[in-house]
mmCIF file of all heavy atoms in Angstrom:
data_model
loop_
_atom_site.group_PDB
_atom_site.id
_atom_site.type_symbol
_atom_site.label_atom_id
_atom_site.label_comp_id
_atom_site.label_asym_id
_atom_site.label_seq_id
_atom_site.Cartn_x
_atom_site.Cartn_y
_atom_site.Cartn_z
ATOM 1 N N LYS A 17 -3.187 -7.309 -3.923
ATOM 2 C CA LYS A 17 -2.208 -8.059 -4.758
ATOM 3 C C LYS A 17 -0.954 -8.388 -3.973
ATOM 4 O O LYS A 17 -0.454 -9.512 -4.025
ATOM 5 C CB LYS A 17 -1.872 -7.258 -6.003
ATOM 6 C CG LYS A 17 -0.917 -7.883 -6.915
ATOM 7 C CD LYS A 17 -1.630 -8.278 -8.173
ATOM 8 C CE LYS A 17 -0.605 -8.803 -9.163
ATOM 9 N NZ LYS A 17 -1.038 -9.966 -9.830
ATOM 10 N N ILE A 18 -0.435 -7.438 -3.233
ATOM 11 C CA ILE A 18 0.766 -7.618 -2.445
ATOM 12 C C ILE A 18 0.492 -8.502 -1.232
ATOM 13 O O ILE A 18 1.303 -9.342 -0.850
ATOM 14 C CB ILE A 18 1.343 -6.282 -1.988
ATOM 15 C CG1 ILE A 18 1.934 -5.532 -3.227
ATOM 16 C CG2 ILE A 18 2.468 -6.433 -0.938
ATOM 17 C CD1 ILE A 18 2.411 -4.172 -2.937
ATOM 18 N N TYR A 19 -0.709 -8.365 -0.643
ATOM 19 C CA TYR A 19 -1.112 -9.120 0.554
ATOM 20 C C TYR A 19 -0.971 -10.623 0.332
ATOM 21 O O TYR A 19 -0.510 -11.349 1.195
ATOM 22 C CB TYR A 19 -2.506 -8.721 0.974
ATOM 23 C CG TYR A 19 -3.060 -9.481 2.141
ATOM 24 C CD1 TYR A 19 -2.733 -9.110 3.436
ATOM 25 C CD2 TYR A 19 -3.929 -10.564 1.978
ATOM 26 C CE1 TYR A 19 -3.243 -9.787 4.528
ATOM 27 C CE2 TYR A 19 -4.435 -11.245 3.057
ATOM 28 C CZ TYR A 19 -4.091 -10.851 4.327
ATOM 29 O OH TYR A 19 -4.594 -11.526 5.421
ATOM 30 N N SER A 20 -1.390 -11.057 -0.853
ATOM 31 C CA SER A 20 -1.353 -12.501 -1.116
ATOM 32 C C SER A 20 0.064 -13.050 -1.304
ATOM 33 O O SER A 20 0.255 -14.231 -1.198
ATOM 34 C CB SER A 20 -2.167 -12.799 -2.349
ATOM 35 O OG SER A 20 -1.623 -12.175 -3.490
ATOM 36 N N LYS A 21 1.021 -12.149 -1.520
ATOM 37 C CA LYS A 21 2.406 -12.593 -1.745
ATOM 38 C C LYS A 21 3.271 -12.537 -0.489
ATOM 39 O O LYS A 21 4.381 -13.038 -0.511
ATOM 40 C CB LYS A 21 3.048 -11.740 -2.826
ATOM 41 C CG LYS A 21 2.395 -11.931 -4.172
ATOM 42 C CD LYS A 21 3.041 -11.104 -5.240
ATOM 43 C CE LYS A 21 2.313 -11.331 -6.548
ATOM 44 N NZ LYS A 21 2.898 -10.594 -7.629
ATOM 45 N N ILE A 22 2.774 -11.932 0.585
ATOM 46 C CA ILE A 22 3.531 -11.830 1.810
ATOM 47 C C ILE A 22 3.437 -13.148 2.571
ATOM 48 O O ILE A 22 2.326 -13.605 2.841
ATOM 49 C CB ILE A 22 3.026 -10.649 2.671
ATOM 50 C CG1 ILE A 22 3.119 -9.363 1.971
ATOM 51 C CG2 ILE A 22 3.786 -10.615 4.004
ATOM 52 C CD1 ILE A 22 2.491 -8.200 2.685
ATOM 53 N N GLU A 23 4.561 -13.734 2.872
ATOM 54 C CA GLU A 23 4.586 -15.033 3.511
ATOM 55 C C GLU A 23 4.519 -14.965 5.028
ATOM 56 O O GLU A 23 3.954 -15.809 5.656
ATOM 57 C CB GLU A 23 5.805 -15.818 3.065
ATOM 58 C CG GLU A 23 5.844 -16.147 1.580
ATOM 59 C CD GLU A 23 7.102 -16.829 1.147
ATOM 60 O OE1 GLU A 23 7.886 -17.201 2.032
ATOM 61 O OE2 GLU A 23 7.247 -17.060 -0.060
ATOM 62 N N GLU A 24 5.131 -13.944 5.617
ATOM 63 C CA GLU A 24 5.140 -13.841 7.067
ATOM 64 C C GLU A 24 4.188 -12.776 7.556
ATOM 65 O O GLU A 24 4.187 -11.659 7.046
ATOM 66 C CB GLU A 24 6.576 -13.521 7.541
ATOM 67 C CG GLU A 24 7.547 -14.622 7.181
ATOM 68 C CD GLU A 24 8.942 -14.388 7.752
ATOM 69 O OE1 GLU A 24 9.014 -13.783 8.848
ATOM 70 O OE2 GLU A 24 9.893 -14.804 7.121
ATOM 71 N N GLU A 25 3.381 -13.131 8.529
ATOM 72 C CA GLU A 25 2.330 -12.277 9.013
ATOM 73 C C GLU A 25 2.874 -10.969 9.617
ATOM 74 O O GLU A 25 2.193 -9.943 9.620
ATOM 75 C CB GLU A 25 1.515 -13.046 10.041
ATOM 76 C CG GLU A 25 0.279 -12.364 10.480
ATOM 77 C CD GLU A 25 -0.546 -13.252 11.414
ATOM 78 O OE1 GLU A 25 -0.624 -14.444 11.203
ATOM 79 O OE2 GLU A 25 -1.133 -12.693 12.363
ATOM 80 N N GLU A 26 4.088 -10.994 10.105
ATOM 81 C CA GLU A 26 4.651 -9.823 10.776
ATOM 82 C C GLU A 26 4.853 -8.646 9.815
ATOM 83 O O GLU A 26 4.951 -7.477 10.262
ATOM 84 C CB GLU A 26 6.047 -10.132 11.373
ATOM 85 C CG GLU A 26 6.009 -11.149 12.461
ATOM 86 C CD GLU A 26 6.078 -12.600 11.941
ATOM 87 O OE1 GLU A 26 6.616 -12.795 10.819
ATOM 88 O OE2 GLU A 26 5.610 -13.475 12.619
ATOM 89 N N TYR A 27 4.877 -8.885 8.525
ATOM 90 C CA TYR A 27 5.116 -7.832 7.566
ATOM 91 C C TYR A 27 3.857 -7.207 6.971
ATOM 92 O O TYR A 27 3.948 -6.273 6.182
ATOM 93 C CB TYR A 27 6.015 -8.363 6.410
ATOM 94 C CG TYR A 27 7.382 -8.771 6.866
ATOM 95 C CD1 TYR A 27 7.827 -10.091 6.835
ATOM 96 C CD2 TYR A 27 8.282 -7.806 7.406
ATOM 97 C CE1 TYR A 27 9.069 -10.453 7.291
ATOM 98 C CE2 TYR A 27 9.514 -8.192 7.868
ATOM 99 C CZ TYR A 27 9.907 -9.487 7.800
ATOM 100 O OH TYR A 27 11.145 -9.837 8.224
ATOM 101 N N TYR A 28 2.689 -7.678 7.350
ATOM 102 C CA TYR A 28 1.427 -7.129 6.802
ATOM 103 C C TYR A 28 1.344 -5.637 7.089
ATOM 104 O O TYR A 28 1.047 -4.872 6.194
ATOM 105 C CB TYR A 28 0.228 -7.868 7.365
ATOM 106 C CG TYR A 28 0.021 -9.259 6.912
ATOM 107 C CD1 TYR A 28 -0.702 -10.169 7.640
ATOM 108 C CD2 TYR A 28 0.615 -9.711 5.729
ATOM 109 C CE1 TYR A 28 -0.955 -11.489 7.203
ATOM 110 C CE2 TYR A 28 0.394 -11.005 5.267
ATOM 111 C CZ TYR A 28 -0.347 -11.858 6.027
ATOM 112 O OH TYR A 28 -0.551 -13.160 5.594
ATOM 113 N N ALA A 29 1.507 -5.267 8.346
ATOM 114 C CA ALA A 29 1.334 -3.889 8.730
ATOM 115 C C ALA A 29 2.390 -2.993 8.049
ATOM 116 O O ALA A 29 2.052 -1.878 7.676
ATOM 117 C CB ALA A 29 1.444 -3.741 10.249
ATOM 118 N N THR A 30 3.619 -3.482 7.904
ATOM 119 C CA THR A 30 4.660 -2.694 7.243
ATOM 120 C C THR A 30 4.275 -2.416 5.816
ATOM 121 O O THR A 30 4.395 -1.272 5.362
ATOM 122 C CB THR A 30 5.982 -3.458 7.322
ATOM 123 O OG1 THR A 30 6.334 -3.705 8.672
ATOM 124 C CG2 THR A 30 7.093 -2.651 6.677
ATOM 125 N N PHE A 31 3.877 -3.431 5.069
ATOM 126 C CA PHE A 31 3.519 -3.223 3.663
ATOM 127 C C PHE A 31 2.239 -2.383 3.511
ATOM 128 O O PHE A 31 2.152 -1.565 2.591
ATOM 129 C CB PHE A 31 3.361 -4.561 2.963
ATOM 130 C CG PHE A 31 4.648 -5.179 2.553
ATOM 131 C CD1 PHE A 31 5.258 -6.158 3.350
ATOM 132 C CD2 PHE A 31 5.300 -4.758 1.405
ATOM 133 C CE1 PHE A 31 6.467 -6.710 2.969
ATOM 134 C CE2 PHE A 31 6.517 -5.324 1.017
ATOM 135 C CZ PHE A 31 7.090 -6.312 1.836
ATOM 136 N N LYS A 32 1.316 -2.566 4.398
ATOM 137 C CA LYS A 32 0.118 -1.739 4.357
ATOM 138 C C LYS A 32 0.437 -0.268 4.649
ATOM 139 O O LYS A 32 -0.089 0.615 3.973
ATOM 140 C CB LYS A 32 -0.889 -2.244 5.416
ATOM 141 C CG LYS A 32 -2.279 -1.722 5.172
ATOM 142 C CD LYS A 32 -3.266 -2.460 6.073
ATOM 143 C CE LYS A 32 -4.682 -2.080 5.739
ATOM 144 N NZ LYS A 32 -5.639 -2.804 6.529
ATOM 145 N N PHE A 33 1.337 -0.008 5.557
ATOM 146 C CA PHE A 33 1.771 1.338 5.823
ATOM 147 C C PHE A 33 2.485 1.957 4.643
ATOM 148 O O PHE A 33 2.251 3.123 4.261
ATOM 149 C CB PHE A 33 2.716 1.366 7.047
ATOM 150 C CG PHE A 33 3.281 2.719 7.339
ATOM 151 C CD1 PHE A 33 2.486 3.664 7.965
ATOM 152 C CD2 PHE A 33 4.586 3.005 7.010
ATOM 153 C CE1 PHE A 33 3.018 4.929 8.212
ATOM 154 C CE2 PHE A 33 5.089 4.264 7.320
ATOM 155 C CZ PHE A 33 4.299 5.225 7.904
ATOM 156 N N VAL A 34 3.370 1.194 3.986
ATOM 157 C CA VAL A 34 4.110 1.692 2.813
ATOM 158 C C VAL A 34 3.145 2.021 1.683
ATOM 159 O O VAL A 34 3.292 3.076 1.054
ATOM 160 C CB VAL A 34 5.180 0.679 2.346
ATOM 161 C CG1 VAL A 34 5.734 1.017 1.007
ATOM 162 C CG2 VAL A 34 6.280 0.560 3.381
ATOM 163 N N ILE A 35 2.177 1.200 1.434
ATOM 164 C CA ILE A 35 1.206 1.513 0.398
ATOM 165 C C ILE A 35 0.361 2.732 0.774
ATOM 166 O O ILE A 35 0.080 3.591 -0.049
ATOM 167 C CB ILE A 35 0.326 0.300 0.120
ATOM 168 C CG1 ILE A 35 1.135 -0.799 -0.555
ATOM 169 C CG2 ILE A 35 -0.912 0.670 -0.750
ATOM 170 C CD1 ILE A 35 0.456 -2.108 -0.678
ATOM 171 N N GLY A 36 -0.012 2.819 2.064
ATOM 172 C CA GLY A 36 -0.815 3.958 2.505
ATOM 173 C C GLY A 36 -0.052 5.239 2.425
ATOM 174 O O GLY A 36 -0.640 6.312 2.189
ATOM 175 N N ILE A 37 1.212 5.212 2.626
ATOM 176 C CA ILE A 37 1.995 6.445 2.658
ATOM 177 C C ILE A 37 2.493 6.853 1.256
ATOM 178 O O ILE A 37 2.822 8.018 1.059
ATOM 179 C CB ILE A 37 3.236 6.327 3.638
ATOM 180 C CG1 ILE A 37 3.716 7.663 4.145
ATOM 181 C CG2 ILE A 37 4.367 5.597 3.035
ATOM 182 C CD1 ILE A 37 2.916 8.218 5.213
ATOM 183 N N THR A 38 2.456 5.945 0.287
ATOM 184 C CA THR A 38 2.908 6.283 -1.068
ATOM 185 C C THR A 38 1.770 6.274 -2.066
ATOM 186 O O THR A 38 1.514 7.251 -2.753
ATOM 187 C CB THR A 38 4.021 5.320 -1.509
ATOM 188 O OG1 THR A 38 3.527 3.972 -1.455
ATOM 189 C CG2 THR A 38 5.255 5.460 -0.694
ATOM 190 N N ALA A 39 1.075 5.162 -2.217
ATOM 191 C CA ALA A 39 0.090 5.003 -3.293
ATOM 192 C C ALA A 39 -1.171 5.864 -3.061
ATOM 193 O O ALA A 39 -1.676 6.445 -4.009
ATOM 194 C CB ALA A 39 -0.306 3.522 -3.411
ATOM 195 N N VAL A 40 -1.651 5.946 -1.832
ATOM 196 C CA VAL A 40 -2.837 6.725 -1.551
ATOM 197 C C VAL A 40 -2.687 8.190 -1.883
ATOM 198 O O VAL A 40 -3.518 8.788 -2.590
ATOM 199 C CB VAL A 40 -3.373 6.451 -0.135
ATOM 200 C CG1 VAL A 40 -4.534 7.380 0.202
ATOM 201 C CG2 VAL A 40 -3.794 5.001 0.003
ATOM 202 N N PRO A 41 -1.608 8.861 -1.390
ATOM 203 C CA PRO A 41 -1.449 10.289 -1.743
ATOM 204 C C PRO A 41 -1.255 10.506 -3.228
ATOM 205 O O PRO A 41 -1.815 11.464 -3.807
ATOM 206 C CB PRO A 41 -0.217 10.720 -0.942
ATOM 207 C CG PRO A 41 -0.099 9.778 0.138
ATOM 208 C CD PRO A 41 -0.650 8.490 -0.380
ATOM 209 N N ILE A 42 -0.500 9.643 -3.891
ATOM 210 C CA ILE A 42 -0.316 9.794 -5.316
ATOM 211 C C ILE A 42 -1.636 9.628 -6.023
ATOM 212 O O ILE A 42 -1.944 10.427 -6.939
ATOM 213 C CB ILE A 42 0.734 8.767 -5.845
ATOM 214 C CG1 ILE A 42 2.122 9.126 -5.344
ATOM 215 C CG2 ILE A 42 0.723 8.667 -7.376
ATOM 216 C CD1 ILE A 42 3.181 8.059 -5.549
ATOM 217 N N PHE A 43 -2.438 8.647 -5.654
ATOM 218 C CA PHE A 43 -3.730 8.417 -6.298
ATOM 219 C C PHE A 43 -4.665 9.586 -6.012
ATOM 220 O O PHE A 43 -5.408 10.021 -6.910
ATOM 221 C CB PHE A 43 -4.318 7.113 -5.767
ATOM 222 C CG PHE A 43 -5.564 6.749 -6.468
ATOM 223 C CD1 PHE A 43 -5.609 6.370 -7.804
ATOM 224 C CD2 PHE A 43 -6.790 6.705 -5.755
ATOM 225 C CE1 PHE A 43 -6.794 6.005 -8.394
ATOM 226 C CE2 PHE A 43 -7.972 6.353 -6.389
ATOM 227 C CZ PHE A 43 -7.943 5.989 -7.711
ATOM 228 N N TYR A 44 -4.722 10.111 -4.797
ATOM 229 C CA TYR A 44 -5.577 11.278 -4.483
ATOM 230 C C TYR A 44 -5.185 12.468 -5.310
ATOM 231 O O TYR A 44 -6.015 13.218 -5.781
ATOM 232 C CB TYR A 44 -5.525 11.550 -3.009
ATOM 233 C CG TYR A 44 -6.452 10.715 -2.143
ATOM 234 C CD1 TYR A 44 -7.113 9.624 -2.706
ATOM 235 C CD2 TYR A 44 -6.611 10.970 -0.829
ATOM 236 C CE1 TYR A 44 -7.970 8.859 -1.937
ATOM 237 C CE2 TYR A 44 -7.440 10.197 -0.057
ATOM 238 C CZ TYR A 44 -8.128 9.145 -0.632
ATOM 239 O OH TYR A 44 -8.955 8.375 0.142
ATOM 240 N N LEU A 45 -3.855 12.742 -5.414
ATOM 241 C CA LEU A 45 -3.421 13.886 -6.211
ATOM 242 C C LEU A 45 -3.765 13.697 -7.701
ATOM 243 O O LEU A 45 -4.179 14.657 -8.348
ATOM 244 C CB LEU A 45 -1.941 14.096 -6.037
ATOM 245 C CG LEU A 45 -1.511 14.644 -4.690
ATOM 246 C CD1 LEU A 45 0.007 14.750 -4.613
ATOM 247 C CD2 LEU A 45 -2.101 16.045 -4.478
ATOM 248 N N LEU A 46 -3.643 12.518 -8.197
ATOM 249 C CA LEU A 46 -4.029 12.246 -9.573
ATOM 250 C C LEU A 46 -5.522 12.484 -9.778
ATOM 251 O O LEU A 46 -5.918 13.107 -10.734
ATOM 252 C CB LEU A 46 -3.634 10.808 -9.947
ATOM 253 C CG LEU A 46 -3.968 10.398 -11.386
ATOM 254 C CD1 LEU A 46 -3.112 11.186 -12.377
ATOM 255 C CD2 LEU A 46 -3.663 8.908 -11.546
ATOM 256 N N GLN A 47 -6.323 12.000 -8.857
ATOM 257 C CA GLN A 47 -7.756 12.236 -8.917
ATOM 258 C C GLN A 47 -8.077 13.708 -8.850
ATOM 259 O O GLN A 47 -8.923 14.209 -9.591
ATOM 260 C CB GLN A 47 -8.490 11.528 -7.766
ATOM 261 C CG GLN A 47 -8.638 10.062 -7.933
ATOM 262 C CD GLN A 47 -9.344 9.491 -6.736
ATOM 263 O OE1 GLN A 47 -9.214 9.916 -5.608
ATOM 264 N NE2 GLN A 47 -10.097 8.426 -6.995
ATOM 265 N N THR A 48 -7.358 14.436 -7.980
ATOM 266 C CA THR A 48 -7.577 15.865 -7.834
ATOM 267 C C THR A 48 -7.242 16.630 -9.113
ATOM 268 O O THR A 48 -7.996 17.514 -9.558
ATOM 269 C CB THR A 48 -6.726 16.431 -6.673
ATOM 270 O OG1 THR A 48 -7.111 15.750 -5.486
ATOM 271 C CG2 THR A 48 -6.937 17.924 -6.507
ATOM 272 N N PHE A 49 -6.135 16.255 -9.788
ATOM 273 C CA PHE A 49 -5.784 16.898 -11.037
ATOM 274 C C PHE A 49 -6.793 16.619 -12.121
ATOM 275 O O PHE A 49 -7.155 17.498 -12.899
ATOM 276 C CB PHE A 49 -4.413 16.478 -11.498
ATOM 277 C CG PHE A 49 -3.284 17.034 -10.696
ATOM 278 C CD1 PHE A 49 -2.219 16.258 -10.293
ATOM 279 C CD2 PHE A 49 -3.284 18.369 -10.304
ATOM 280 C CE1 PHE A 49 -1.203 16.764 -9.531
ATOM 281 C CE2 PHE A 49 -2.262 18.938 -9.544
ATOM 282 C CZ PHE A 49 -1.213 18.092 -9.148
ATOM 283 N N ILE A 50 -7.315 15.415 -12.174
ATOM 284 C CA ILE A 50 -8.316 15.060 -13.152
ATOM 285 C C ILE A 50 -9.632 15.831 -12.939
ATOM 286 O O ILE A 50 -10.172 16.398 -13.867
ATOM 287 C CB ILE A 50 -8.576 13.539 -13.201
ATOM 288 C CG1 ILE A 50 -7.314 12.803 -13.710
ATOM 289 C CG2 ILE A 50 -9.800 13.178 -14.001
ATOM 290 C CD1 ILE A 50 -7.394 11.326 -13.557
#
């Protein structure tokens, strides 16, 4: 969803890193609790 909104190619890796460092651990912990 975010990838389609990024206009400059230089920011792809930055946003992917931010999602990987925040959303993935939160999602894994939520799955673990469930």
Side-chain angles (χ1 to χ4, degrees):
K17 179 110 174 138
I18 291 175
Y19 177 80
S20 63
K21 295 180 181 181
I22 300 173
E23 295 178 6
E24 296 185 33
E25 190 175 322
E26 297 85 25
Y27 295 115
Y28 289 159
T30 302
F31 280 97
K32 195 170 188 177
F33 176 75
V34 167
I35 290 171
I37 204 80
T38 57
V40 172
I42 291 170
F43 185 67
Y44 278 6
L45 286 176
L46 181 64
Q47 284 179 327
T48 301
F49 287 136
I50 291 170

